[in-house]
Amino acid sequence: MLRVTPQISSLSSETFTRRIVMPMAGMIVVAVGLVLAFVVVSADGQNRLEVSSSTKLAETALNVNQRQMGRNLRDYAVWEDVYHNLHVNVDFDWAATDGNVGANIYEGLGYEMAFVINPEGETTYAVIDGIPQKANALDFLPEGLDGLIAAGRAQVKPVVSLLEAGSDVLMVAVNSILPPSIDKATTDPASLSMLIFVKQLDATFLTRMGAEYLLEGLHIVRDPALLQPASVPLKDPAGTILAYLTWTPATPGYELLSLLLPPLGIAILILAAFAWQVVNNARRSTSALEDSARVVESYAQTLQESEARFRDVAEASSDWIWECDPDLRLIYFSARFSEVTGISAASVLGKPLEQFFSSDSETDGWAQLLEGTHEHSTFRDLRCFYRDVSGNSRICRLAGRPIFDATRGFIGYRGTATDITEEVEAQARANHLALHDALTGLPNRVLFRERLDGAFEGKRRDTQWISVLCLDLDHFKEVNDTLGHGFGDALLVKVAERLRLCVRPGDTVARLGGDEFAIIQVGVNGPDEAAALSLRIVDIIKEPFVIEGQELHIGVSIGAAVPDETNNDPDKLLKCADIALYRAKQTGRGTVRFFEPRMDNELQARKSLEYEMRHALGREEFVLNYQPLIDLRTQRVTAVEALLRWYHPEHGLVSPEIFIPIAEKCGLITPISEWVLRTACSQVLKWPDLRVAVNLSPVHFRSRELIDTIKSILKETGLAPERLELEITESVLIKDTAAALDILNALKALGVNIAMDDFGTGYSSLGYLNSFPFDKLKIDRSFISSLEDQEKSRAIVRSVLSLGESLQMTITAEGVEKIEQVEFLMREGCQQVQGYYFGRPVPARELTAFLRKWKGFGIENAAA
C-alpha cells in the first residue's frame, strides 16, 4: 500500500495536469491572445477613424474658404461702380480708394492679390499686398490662369480653384464683371473684363485654418515621402496634384494601447509562469494547487485593474458613453455625461432613448433606430437634440453599435455622444455673415436676390403685387471725403435703421454695396403704395443725422419698378428699378422716378452711342474744325480755335452737346482730348505765327497725367508752348480750388497760355481772377448776341473789357455775327474776336485757303 499510494498520487497528478490544468492554461492563453488582438485592432480602427474624420474636416475647411472667396469676389464683380470704373473705363483713382478695390482687399478680406483683366487679356489694374499698382497678372500666375479665366467667362458664378506659382500654392477666384443692370443674355462673355482674387496658402493661413478645424501641424509638402499619416491632395483645375495638405492626426488608439498593453503583458507573463509551474509541478500536493489558485486570483485582480484603467480612459474622453437595453431604455452613462450636461445620470437612467434625445429629421436614421428593426445596424453621425440642466436646447451627434449576448441575442446599444452645439452655432454665424452686410446687418446682395426670387414665386401663387426700389444716397461721398470713412460708416448704419422703420415686417431692406440700398415690397395693392413708401423714405432721409455731435445732411434718390408684361422676372425688374434710379439722379437729386419703357429705350440708345464712340477714334470718325480769332487792331488772324466734330457714318454729324457728356461719363473723354491736343498741335505747325486754342474737359483737367501728357505732346510735335492756348470753364475750379491752382501753375510752368472760357456766366468768376493765372478772358456769346437790345449786356461787356485792361489780360469776344457788334467792340477797345461774321469752323484744308485770301474785314479802327 505504501508503494501504491505514491503511484496513485502520481496518476492523480498526471490526470489533473492533463484534464484540468493544461486545457485551462490553453484557454487562458487563447483568451488573452484574442483580447490583445481585439485591443490592437480596435486601436488601429480608432486611429483610422480619426484620420478619416480629420480628412473630412480638412476638405470641408478648403471648401468653406473657397466658397467664402467666391462670395466675396461675386459682391465686387456685380458692383455697378466696379463695372463702370474697372471695365468701361479704368479709373485708377477710384479703384485705389480704400473701400472700393484698394487696400481693403488685403486688409479687410485678407487676399494678397487682385487683378482686373480686360477682354484683350491685358491686366488693367492690380492690387498687390494692399498696394494698387500696374502689374501683369501672368507674371504672378504664369500657369493655369488662362484656363481659369476661360472657365470664369463661361458661367455666372465665380470659379474658384488652386494654382501653382513657383513654390507657392494659391487659391484663385475668377468672375466676370457684370452688374445686375446689364442682361447677361445680351452680353458676349468675351467682351467682359474679369475680376480675380488671389489667396496664398501660406503658413499664417494654414495655422489659422488648423486652429479653427483642430488640425494639428497643418502644412503643405510636395514630396509624398514627407506626408504625415493624414493628408489631402491639392489639385489644379486639370486634376494635377500640385502639393499635399498634411497634418498630424490624433492617435486615440495608440494612447489606449499604451494604457492597456502593460497590464496585458503582465497578465501574459503571469499566465506563462503559471502554466510552466503547473506542467512541471503536476505531482505537487494540495498546497501546490492552492498556490496555483492564489496565482489565478492574482491574475483576476490584474484583469480588474486593467478594466479600471480602461474605464478611466473612457471617462477622460471629450465624448460621453451611453448604453441602452433592448427596449431602448437608457441604462448607463459615463461620468462625462454629467460634466457636459449638468444633469445627474440617475435622473435619466431608465427613460426611453427618445424621451431624452430627439431629432428633427426623419431621413437620418433616427426613425429606423426607434422602430427597432431586426437589423440592429451600427449608426454614426446621428444629429439629435437634448436639454441641459438649465433647460437650454443643445445639439449632439450620436454614434452606436448593437450589443449581443453569447447566443447572439440583441441586448441593446452602446455608443458615444458628442456635444456639437458650438460647432453648429459657429456654422450658423458663418452662414449669417455670408448673407448679410457686416456693417449694417441688412441682407446683402446674395440674400436680396434670394428674397426677390421668393417674392416672385409668391406673386405667381397669390397674384399679389410686389415692387422693387433702388436707393442711392445723395452727398454721401462728400461726407466720406470731408469727415472720413468712420463718419461714413456710422451714417450708413443710421440710414439702415431709418429704412427699417419705413417698411413692413414682410418687406426686405438690403445694402447692395457702398451707399446703394434696395427694398422689396410684397403684398402691395399697386404702384401707389410704392410711391408712398418712396416719398416717406425721401422725407425721413432728409432729416438731419447727428453723429458724434455733428449734424449731417444728405438726401436719397430712388428708382422704383413694379412687374408688368415686359419685366415679369427678377432680373428685368431689378434692371428697370436701376434704370429708374439712374434717371432720378440725372434729373435732380432727392427725387423718385418710376420706370417707364422709354427710359430703357433712351438708356439703350445712349449705350449704343457710347459703344459706337469707343470705335470712333480707330475709325477716324472724329475730325477737327478750326475757327479763326481776329485781332481787331491789326485785323490779322492771330489764332485759331480747334473744335471737335463727330461725323457718324449712319447718323451724320453728332452734336458735341450730346456726345461730350457721354464721353465724360464713360471715361472716353481723356483719350479723345489727347487726340484733339495732338492733332491740333501738329496742324498749327503748318500755319506759322498762329496760336491754337483747345478746350479742356473738366474730367481731363482733373486727370493726374494731364501735365505729363501735354509736355509729351509738345515734345512729340515740336510746337512751342507759347503757341498752345488751353481754354477751361469755371466748373473745373469749383470742386477743389487748391488742386486746380496746382494744375494751372504747372501748366503755366510749361509755358502754355490759359484762358477762361464763357466768362461772366459763373457766380464767382471775379474771385477766380484774383487767384488763378489766366492770360485771357473769353466773353460768353450770350452777352455779345444781346448787345443791340440790352443795355445791361453792353454794360457788362464794357466792365469786362475794363477789367481785362486793368489786369493786363487779353479779352476775346465770342459769337460775333454782325457788323454792329464788331463796331461796338472796336470802340470799346476789345482786342480779339471770333464768330460767324469772320468765319465759321471749317476743316484744316478750308482754313488754309481762308488764311491765303484773308485781307482784313475792311472797317477802319474805331478805337482811335
Side-chain angles (χ1 to χ4, degrees):
M1 291 295 294
L2 290 174
R3 288 179 293 177
V4 172
T5 303
Q7 185 178 4
I8 295 173
S9 176
S10 175
L11 291 172
S12 300
S13 296
E14 291 176 356
T15 302
F16 179 79
T17 300
R18 186 179 64 253
R19 295 183 178 180
I20 299 178
V21 176
M22 293 299 291
M24 289 182 63
M27 291 175 61
I28 293 173
V29 170
V30 171
V32 171
L34 290 175
V35 170
L36 183 60
F38 175 78
V39 170
V40 172
V41 171
S42 297
D44 186 65
Q46 286 186 350
N47 289 342
R48 288 198 302 272
L49 286 175
E50 179 62 28
V51 170
S52 175
S53 177
S54 62
T55 300
K56 290 180 180 179
L57 279 176
E59 292 171 346
T60 299
L62 280 175
N63 290 335
V64 168
N65 279 279
Q66 288 182 339
R67 289 197 299 271
Q68 182 62 41
M69 190 177 192
R71 286 192 292 265
N72 289 340
L73 177 64
R74 181 66 178 167
D75 286 345
Y76 280 81
V78 301
W79 187 5
E80 193 78 32
D81 289 347
V82 168
Y83 175 79
H84 286 292
N85 293 290
L86 286 177
H87 170 66
V88 175
N89 173 46
V90 179
D91 189 338
F92 191 94
D93 291 343
W94 178 90
T97 301
D98 190 15
N100 293 334
V101 192
N104 55 297
I105 300 300
Y106 176 74
E107 297 170 357
L109 299 179
Y111 302 134
E112 289 82 358
M113 291 179 275
F115 302 98
V116 176
I117 296 181
N118 66 15
E120 289 75 31
E122 300 169 344
T123 304
T124 57
Y125 178 70
V127 181
I128 310 297
D129 291 335
I131 301 175
Q133 56 189 272
K134 294 183 178 179
N136 188 352
L138 292 177
D139 292 341
F140 295 89
L141 301 169
E143 297 181 5
L145 182 59
D146 291 338
L148 202 59
I149 290 175
R153 292 188 189 280
Q155 64 182 54
V156 177
K157 295 183 179 179
V159 175
V160 185
S161 188
L162 300 176
L163 296 179
E164 186 178 37
S167 61
D168 296 326
V169 178
L170 308 175
M171 188 181 296
V172 182
V174 178
N175 198 22
S176 301
I177 298 178
L178 186 66
S181 61
I182 298 179
D183 190 354
K184 181 173 178 61
T186 63
T187 304
D188 182 7
S191 68
L192 298 177
S193 294
M194 306 301 292
L195 181 60
I196 303 170
F197 283 178
V198 181
K199 176 65 187 175
Q200 182 179 355
L201 273 61
D202 54 14
T204 302
F205 174 79
L206 295 177
T207 299
R208 177 178 59 79
M209 189 170 77
E212 290 177 352
Y213 289 88
L214 304 179
L215 303 173
E216 183 179 352
L218 189 65
H219 64 286
I220 290 176
V221 299
R222 294 182 178 274
D223 187 356
L226 301 177
L227 291 177
Q228 298 292 341
S231 64
V232 172
L234 302 177
K235 300 180 181 179
D236 65 8
T240 303
I241 296 178
L242 307 177
Y244 296 87
L245 192 64
T246 185
W247 63 95
T248 304
T251 55
Y254 293 159
E255 294 173 5
L256 180 62
L257 280 179
S258 67
L259 294 174
L260 293 181
L261 286 180
L264 285 175
I266 294 173
I268 292 171
L269 291 175
I270 293 174
L271 178 62
F274 169 73
W276 180 261
Q277 284 295 107
V278 170
V279 170
N280 288 278
N281 300 294
R283 298 176 179 178
R284 289 184 178 181
S285 61
T286 304
S287 60
L289 293 175
E290 292 176 352
D291 290 340
S292 297
R294 283 192 293 271
V295 173
V296 173
E297 185 179 349
S298 175
Y299 169 70
Q301 180 65 30
T302 302
L303 289 179
Q304 289 178 359
E305 293 173 358
S306 176
E307 182 182 358
R309 292 190 184 96
F310 180 80
R311 189 175 289 112
D312 290 341
V313 171
E315 299 300 344
S317 172
S318 60
D319 300 343
W320 72 75
I321 300 173
W322 59 272
E323 191 173 329
C324 67
D325 63 14
D327 297 323
L328 302 185
R329 289 190 299 268
L330 294 166
I331 59 174
Y332 171 75
F333 278 118
S334 63
R336 184 67 177 158
F337 168 78
S338 297
E339 295 176 13
V340 174
T341 65
I343 302 173
S344 67
S347 64
V348 182
L349 294 178
K351 293 183 178 180
L353 191 67
E354 72 262 30
Q355 189 171 339
F356 182 72
F357 296 108
S358 62
S359 174
D360 61 352
S361 175
E362 293 281 331
T363 62
D364 58 4
W366 179 253
Q368 291 84 343
L369 174 64
L370 296 182
E371 288 172 1
T373 62
H374 65 281
E375 296 178 359
H376 299 122
S377 303
T378 298
F379 60 89
R380 58 171 52 90
D381 295 332
L382 191 61
R383 181 162 157 171
C384 298
F385 300 87
Y386 72 93
R387 292 192 178 275
D388 61 14
V389 69
S390 302
N392 298 320
S393 179
R394 306 284 294 180
I395 307 171
C396 69
R397 183 170 55 237
L398 290 183
R401 59 186 308 168
I403 311 170
F404 301 96
D405 59 17
T407 62
R408 296 301 297 168
F410 175 68
I411 59 175
Y413 280 98
R414 181 183 298 123
T416 60
T418 306
D419 190 294
I420 59 171
T421 306
E422 294 181 0
E423 176 185 334
V424 173
E425 290 176 349
Q427 182 64 38
R429 286 193 296 270
N431 291 337
H432 178 83
L433 290 175
L435 297 174
H436 290 78
D437 174 49
L439 177 64
T440 62
L442 294 175
N444 61 14
R445 191 181 295 273
V446 176
L447 183 54
F448 174 81
R449 181 51 195 264
E450 291 180 4
R451 298 270 181 89
L452 184 58
D453 291 342
F456 262 85
E457 288 300 322
K459 175 183 178 296
R460 294 186 182 100
R461 288 195 308 268
D462 306 331
T463 65
Q464 63 179 0
W465 279 83
I466 65 173
S467 69
V468 170
L469 310 181
C470 286
L471 295 77
D472 192 272
L473 300 182
D474 302 329
H475 309 296
F476 176 76
K477 187 176 186 300
E478 286 86 338
V479 174
N480 259 353
D481 293 344
T482 57
L483 300 177
H485 287 283
F487 271 84
D489 289 348
L491 181 57
L492 290 173
V493 171
K494 288 186 175 293
V495 168
E497 292 173 355
R498 291 191 184 181
L499 292 178
R500 286 191 188 98
L501 296 175
C502 291
V503 301
R504 298 171 301 181
D507 299 338
T508 296
V509 180
R511 182 187 177 210
L512 304 185
D515 61 341
E516 299 178 25
F517 295 84
I519 295 175
I520 304 171
Q521 259 189 311
V522 295
V524 297
N525 294 321
D528 290 344
E529 291 191 25
L533 174 60
S534 299
L535 295 176
R536 190 160 63 249
I537 291 173
V538 169
D539 291 338
I540 197 171
I541 298 300
K542 280 182 181 179
E543 297 178 5
F545 294 85
V546 178
I547 299 176
E548 295 184 12
Q550 187 158 349
E551 190 173 280
L552 304 178
H553 294 269
I554 61 171
V556 64
S557 298
I558 301 176
V562 294
D564 56 27
E565 63 276 1
T566 63
N567 56 14
N568 201 23
D569 68 66
D571 287 326
K572 290 182 179 179
L573 184 63
L574 187 58
K575 178 182 177 182
C576 291
D578 198 53
I579 292 173
L581 173 62
Y582 174 81
R583 178 53 61 89
K585 295 186 72 68
Q586 191 179 45
T587 55
R589 297 179 175 183
T591 58
V592 179
R593 289 290 182 272
F594 270 80
F595 174 77
E596 300 174 8
R598 63 179 178 81
M599 293 181 181
D600 191 26
N601 296 335
E602 294 171 359
L603 182 61
Q604 295 305 321
R606 183 183 183 279
K607 288 184 176 180
S608 175
L609 196 63
E610 176 185 326
Y611 173 79
E612 292 168 351
M613 195 189 310
R614 292 183 182 278
H615 303 282
L617 270 176
R619 295 170 180 167
E620 298 182 352
E621 295 174 7
F622 287 118
V623 297
L624 287 184
N625 286 354
Y626 299 89
Q627 186 175 32
L629 279 74
I630 312 299
D631 187 307
L632 285 179
R633 291 187 176 90
T634 63
Q635 298 192 15
R636 292 177 57 249
V637 178
T638 58
V640 293
E641 181 177 1
L643 299 169
L644 180 64
R645 298 292 184 262
W646 181 14
Y647 288 94
H648 192 280
E650 295 180 6
H651 306 306
L653 182 63
V654 182
S655 171
E657 295 180 356
I658 295 176
F659 73 81
I660 291 296
I662 297 176
E664 291 179 334
K665 186 71 174 178
C666 69
L668 290 174
I669 194 64
T670 297
I672 292 175
S673 296
E674 291 177 4
W675 177 84
V676 170
L677 280 166
R678 184 174 286 104
T679 304
C681 290
S682 298
Q683 178 62 42
V684 79
L685 289 173
K686 301 176 183 178
W687 300 321
D689 302 326
L690 291 187
R691 288 182 180 176
V692 63
V694 178
N695 288 279
L696 276 185
S697 161
V699 175
H700 192 201
F701 181 82
R702 290 189 288 270
S703 170
R704 286 184 177 182
E705 291 80 17
L706 175 64
I707 305 302
D708 292 337
T709 298
I710 293 176
K711 187 186 301 184
S712 174
I713 289 174
L714 290 174
K715 182 178 180 180
E716 174 186 332
T717 60
L719 181 70
E722 60 271 14
R723 294 184 64 189
L724 176 61
E725 185 175 282
L726 300 176
E727 297 183 2
I728 64 172
T729 59
E730 183 183 343
S731 61
V732 305
L733 312 175
I734 293 175
K735 285 193 174 182
D736 193 339
T737 303
L741 181 59
D742 291 341
I743 295 173
L744 290 177
N745 286 332
L747 290 173
K748 287 295 294 181
L750 294 179
V752 302
N753 293 279
I754 302 173
M756 178 183 278
D757 200 9
D758 301 333
F759 182 76
T761 59
Y763 69 91
S764 57
S765 298
L766 294 178
Y768 293 140
L769 295 182
N770 191 42
S771 305
F772 294 96
F774 291 110
D775 300 292
K776 176 189 286 188
L777 301 178
K778 300 190 74 173
I779 303 175
D780 186 68
R781 65 181 63 250
S782 61
F783 299 111
I784 302 303
S785 63
S786 58
L787 280 177
E788 302 169 52
D789 305 325
Q790 297 184 18
E791 181 60 35
K792 288 184 179 180
S793 296
R794 292 192 289 273
I796 290 173
V797 171
R798 290 190 187 99
S799 299
V800 174
L801 292 172
S802 177
L803 182 63
E805 183 178 0
S806 301
L807 297 176
Q808 297 182 344
M809 292 183 183
T810 301
I811 305 297
T812 300
E814 296 182 291
V816 177
E817 299 181 359
K818 298 178 180 180
I819 185 62
E820 292 82 7
Q821 297 168 350
V822 177
E823 292 172 344
F824 174 82
L825 292 170
M826 291 179 67
R827 286 195 304 270
E828 299 299 329
C830 181
Q831 298 107 315
Q832 196 177 68
V833 290
Q834 71 179 105
Y836 288 175
Y837 180 76
F838 304 100
R840 293 175 176 270
V842 293
R845 184 176 58 184
E846 296 183 26
L847 186 66
T848 300
F850 172 86
L851 293 174
R852 287 199 208 98
K853 298 177 182 178
W854 176 258
K855 303 298 182 183
F857 48 86
I859 301 177
E860 294 298 329
N861 195 329

